[in-house]
Amino acid sequence: MLPVQAAGASMPGMGTLSGTVTVAKPVGQLTVYAFNTEKRVGYMVYVVDGRYRITQLFPGPYEVTLRGTPGQRNWDLPRVSRRLRIAAGRDALADFRYTATDVPPTYVGGMPYPNAQVVPYDLAYPPGPGRDVVERVCFGCHTSSFYPYNVVRTYPGGRPPHDREGWALTVDRMAHGHAFNAKDKASYFDPLLLSPAERDAVVDYLAQNFGPDSAARVVQQDSDPALDPQALARAQFVEYRFLNVKGEDDRFTHTPDFDGHGNVWIMDRGASSLVKVEPSTARVTDHKGHGGGEFLTVDVDGTVWYGGLSHYDPRSNLHDEYRFEWKQSFRAIPISSLIIDSRGDIWLSLLPTGGLARFDRKGNTVDWWDVPVLRSRPYGIILDRDDKVWFANYHNSGVTRFDSATGSFRNYPLTLGAPTNIRRLTVDSQNRVWSATWGSRALQNGALYRLDPQSGAVEEFRIGIPYTNPYDVEVDAADNVWIATDNHVLRFDPVARRFTNYPVTTRTDIPKLAVTRDGAVWFGPRNAGQSGGYGGAATVLYPDKDRIESFDAYYAPDNPRARKARYQGPPTPVAGTMKLVPAAAQNPCEFERSVGLGDGCTGTAPGPHAAPATIN
């Protein structure tokens, strides 16, 4: 039996809610979700030893629901709800009795898969040589339900049905074609990983088990990730929702950032909107028509940089666009992530074309480098303590450092053998680099990696959640590492070498975290519009609800994402225009020379730009 915690002091004007939960039969970890139907703010806590407690609730009418837990096998349990009102400065009580005893089967992962059969892994993927190749090569990029869910959809994770010829074309394109249609760049994975016999075996396997007429299936979740009751008893989530709109695309929240005034901005890719959340008042402002891409960062003057590349001023409701000038025309700058350094310059990762770019504040222009690393394809980007730029290599299982003073790149492999996506990375107070693998059966379902840049030594820490797909990593002020993965936010204590799992508010994947100076962890539940059914949200985990003194969100001064606050120069004005910037790379032909692709380089352009890549 855990001790009953002493309640922390409420912020002025807030209330609390607590109660007991009695169950007819143990059905796994339960949660209570309290939703303020006026302010559209939700709170989630865990039921521990038959009790729950929620702090710092905005006054108003609530729908309070007892339910299962995302990431646990009981997520699809029937729910029990009741309505009540929370008053300022008052403690409300709501007890629940739960009579359901049967736990329906559920599936792994954070994506919605409607109308699918839930089957054990060995039925979804019958054993054999073909499966061995799929696990070793294909699962470096694709989730476990990608292949058996045989449904056409535009949402990431869907795919068109294929017969044997279609699978053969797909496998050959992955092994030998130009990834993202970038001319003169390498394929998605090294074709040496696939012998001719293995190629035929995997094509046969895919055609036999995932043909055009195969039923839509998903992989059953057979076990629950381990949970720490003491940590869960202290934790609390708060989320600020914004609805789906009938006739418009579903909300699709991605990247949060803090503006230096306590507010949180978040990218909504589905509605092409920049959303501002004022946590202290729960006010949400939707800036539609100014979104795009997947990443944003708020400048010191309150303007927002996003997309590929756009600069938005919420005061004038105008945005500028920067495009590459190309043969009397223009091309989009294919940005995946961006970060502002202490000089006010903005570093941009160009995933589809394998480039690293910089917005030069003084020149009001963009220059770029062709990354001389095979299959680098920069994705997540960060600054270390020396202002050097680091980025995750999306297709070569490593990270790369760029020294702007010398114009030199250095690549660091994190894994060897089986390929895997590296999505994002961070640095701790000792300038060590942390990253995680986007899952792989061959790599035992995802791991956290720590790199010492001085020695090149890499240490691996197994996450231990089956079929997990860790996406982002961030460190807090105490050098704990926070990891975003399907249905969970994880904390890794590097001293104790221990993971703590926090299931989140709904079934979802989580592409980006932002950690406050107080240790709160913000994120966008990317699938909330479909999986949660309510639209987009900006969500925050408070690891200790009794230490919440304010909802305002600020970076710690030494957080790499707070480096922008050191810039004291003039702001970049926004005029509502398009600005063309030179297309030529700063290091023409270096990629070709470094990877041995021949002498045909002219060094005059960034290469063809396909439509923005759809990233799972």
Side-chain angles (χ1 to χ4, degrees):
M1 178 76 69
L2 291 175
V4 178
Q5 292 178 301
S10 288
M11 294 186 293
M14 298 297 188
T16 66
L17 172 65
S18 62
T20 62
V21 175
T22 304
V23 297
K25 177 183 176 181
V27 287
Q29 179 65 58
L30 295 173
T31 60
V32 172
Y33 191 93
F35 183 60
N36 185 315
T37 55
E38 285 184 349
K39 286 186 171 292
R40 306 206 64 80
V41 178
Y43 297 76
M44 191 193 88
V45 295
Y46 307 95
V47 178
V48 178
D49 280 346
R51 297 185 179 93
Y52 75 92
R53 182 169 56 86
I54 308 176
T55 69
Q56 316 296 4
L57 291 113
F58 287 102
Y62 278 80
E63 183 175 27
V64 183
T65 303
L66 177 69
R67 59 185 197 166
T69 301
Q72 301 284 298
R73 286 174 293 177
N74 69 359
W75 173 235
D76 296 316
L77 277 170
R79 300 179 178 187
V80 179
S81 296
R82 59 182 299 182
R83 293 183 179 273
L84 52 81
R85 179 169 288 274
I86 301 294
R90 302 296 296 273
D91 300 325
L93 298 174
D95 297 333
F96 288 90
R97 180 172 179 81
Y98 197 64
T99 58
T101 59
D102 296 325
V103 178
T106 192
Y107 56 87
V108 300
M111 296 183 183
Y113 293 102
N115 305 315
Q117 300 175 18
V118 180
V119 299
Y121 181 80
D122 281 345
L123 290 182
Y125 292 90
R131 186 176 83 170
D132 296 342
V133 179
V134 170
E135 291 178 341
R136 177 172 56 85
V137 178
C138 307
F139 277 2
C141 286
H142 299 298
T143 58
S144 59
S145 291
F146 176 80
Y147 293 96
Y149 190 65
N150 193 36
V151 174
V152 178
R153 60 180 180 178
T154 57
Y155 180 78
R159 62 168 181 82
H162 293 307
D163 57 14
R164 189 185 190 285
E165 180 181 3
W167 280 120
L169 289 171
T170 300
V171 171
D172 291 343
R173 178 172 59 87
M174 294 290 167
H176 303 285
H178 299 298
F180 304 132
N181 295 319
K183 184 181 178 182
D184 298 326
K185 292 299 177 73
S187 58
Y188 289 91
F189 66 84
D190 187 347
L192 295 178
L193 292 171
L194 200 65
S195 71
E198 289 172 329
R199 180 266 185 196
D200 292 341
V202 77
V203 169
D204 289 341
Y205 182 82
L206 294 171
Q208 291 167 7
N209 296 288
F210 313 113
D213 298 324
S214 63
R217 294 153 291 158
V218 288
V219 174
Q220 181 173 306
Q221 182 170 328
D222 294 325
S223 62
D224 287 333
L227 301 176
D228 179 350
Q230 293 188 3
L232 298 189
R234 293 190 295 269
Q236 176 171 302
F237 288 86
V238 181
E239 66 179 7
Y240 303 82
R241 296 187 189 177
F242 28 100
L243 294 175
N244 288 335
V245 177
K246 187 176 181 179
E248 298 182 5
D249 291 337
D250 286 344
R251 298 286 193 167
F252 195 52
T253 45
H254 202 282
T255 300
D257 193 31
F258 309 149
D259 66 2
H261 300 285
N263 306 311
V264 179
W265 287 75
I266 193 163
M267 170 65 72
D268 177 7
R269 298 183 68 186
S272 294
S273 178
L274 303 174
V275 180
K276 178 184 177 182
V277 177
E278 300 173 44
S280 60
T281 63
R283 181 184 179 190
V284 174
T285 307
D286 212 350
H287 299 267
K288 288 192 175 182
H290 299 286
E294 62 184 40
F295 215 88
L296 60 79
T297 187
V298 185
D299 214 333
V300 291
D301 63 350
T303 58
V304 184
W305 297 87
Y306 68 94
L309 174 69
S310 293
H311 185 202
Y312 174 60
D313 187 343
R315 292 158 295 199
S316 64
N317 200 36
L318 298 174
H319 74 260
D320 289 339
E321 294 185 43
Y322 295 78
R323 301 287 185 99
F324 281 131
E325 186 173 13
W326 172 247
K327 293 184 177 180
Q328 299 180 336
S329 182
F330 56 84
R331 298 281 180 93
I333 302 175
I335 295 169
S336 177
S337 303
L338 58 160
I339 190 169
I340 304 176
D341 67 18
S342 58
R343 297 178 297 275
D345 293 341
I346 308 175
W347 293 93
L348 320 165
S349 61
L350 311 183
L351 181 147
T353 53
L356 173 69
R358 176 185 61 190
F359 171 74
D360 181 346
R361 180 86 62 165
K362 291 182 178 179
N364 193 24
T365 190
V366 176
D367 47 30
W368 74 286
W369 291 259
D370 200 3
V371 177
V373 178
L374 194 64
R375 297 185 179 87
S376 169
R377 304 190 181 108
Y379 194 71
I381 194 166
I382 199 69
L383 300 165
D384 69 14
R385 308 293 167 173
D386 300 321
D387 246 8
K388 291 184 173 62
V389 180
W390 289 80
F391 50 85
N393 297 329
Y394 189 70
H395 278 150
N396 84 351
S397 305
V399 296
T400 298
R401 182 181 67 194
F402 177 67
D403 188 336
S404 60
T406 62
S408 61
F409 293 84
R410 180 177 176 183
N411 186 57
Y412 295 84
L414 295 184
T415 71
L416 299 174
T420 186
N421 284 163
I422 306 293
R423 298 295 179 107
R424 303 198 180 279
L425 72 175
T426 191
V427 294
D428 62 20
S429 63
Q430 299 180 52
N431 228 19
R432 297 173 300 190
V433 177
W434 295 81
S435 191
T437 55
W438 168 257
S440 174
R441 290 285 288 176
L443 291 169
Q444 299 180 32
N445 304 307
L448 177 68
Y449 292 88
R450 181 173 63 191
L451 165 69
D452 181 345
Q454 298 300 317
S455 66
V458 176
E459 193 166 4
E460 178 187 80
F461 307 93
R462 295 289 180 187
I463 289 176
I465 299 177
Y467 310 103
T468 193
N469 297 289
Y471 204 122
D472 189 27
V473 291
E474 289 284 343
V475 295
D476 62 22
D479 266 357
N480 295 303
V481 184
W482 291 89
I483 305 125
T485 191
D486 289 344
N487 307 319
H488 294 81
V489 170
L490 314 179
R491 180 179 62 200
F492 179 71
D493 182 337
V495 177
R497 295 174 174 248
R498 185 169 66 91
F499 290 94
T500 303
N501 302 331
Y502 297 89
V504 297
T505 56
T506 189
R507 182 190 293 277
T508 188
D509 67 338
I510 303 167
K512 190 72 194 74
L513 303 174
V515 182
T516 73
R517 65 190 182 190
D518 303 316
V521 184
W522 284 83
F523 60 92
R526 185 162 67 161
N527 299 320
Q530 296 166 326
S531 190
Y534 49 75
T539 305
V540 54
L541 163 64
Y542 295 97
D544 190 341
K545 57 194 166 195
D546 291 320
R547 298 182 65 183
I548 303 174
E549 297 180 355
S550 170
F551 286 151
D552 289 341
Y554 295 91
Y555 289 116
D558 61 345
N559 188 304
R561 300 196 180 278
R563 196 73 47 96
K564 60 188 178 184
R566 303 180 188 181
Y567 174 64
Q568 301 298 318
T572 301
V574 177
T577 61
M578 179 183 295
K579 180 175 178 59
L580 299 182
V581 298
Q586 300 297 301
N587 57 341
C589 303
E590 185 176 354
F591 174 82
E592 286 77 2
R593 288 193 297 266
S594 297
V595 303
L597 289 184
D599 301 324
C601 171
T602 62
T604 58
H609 293 275
T614 298
I615 306 303
N616 185 5

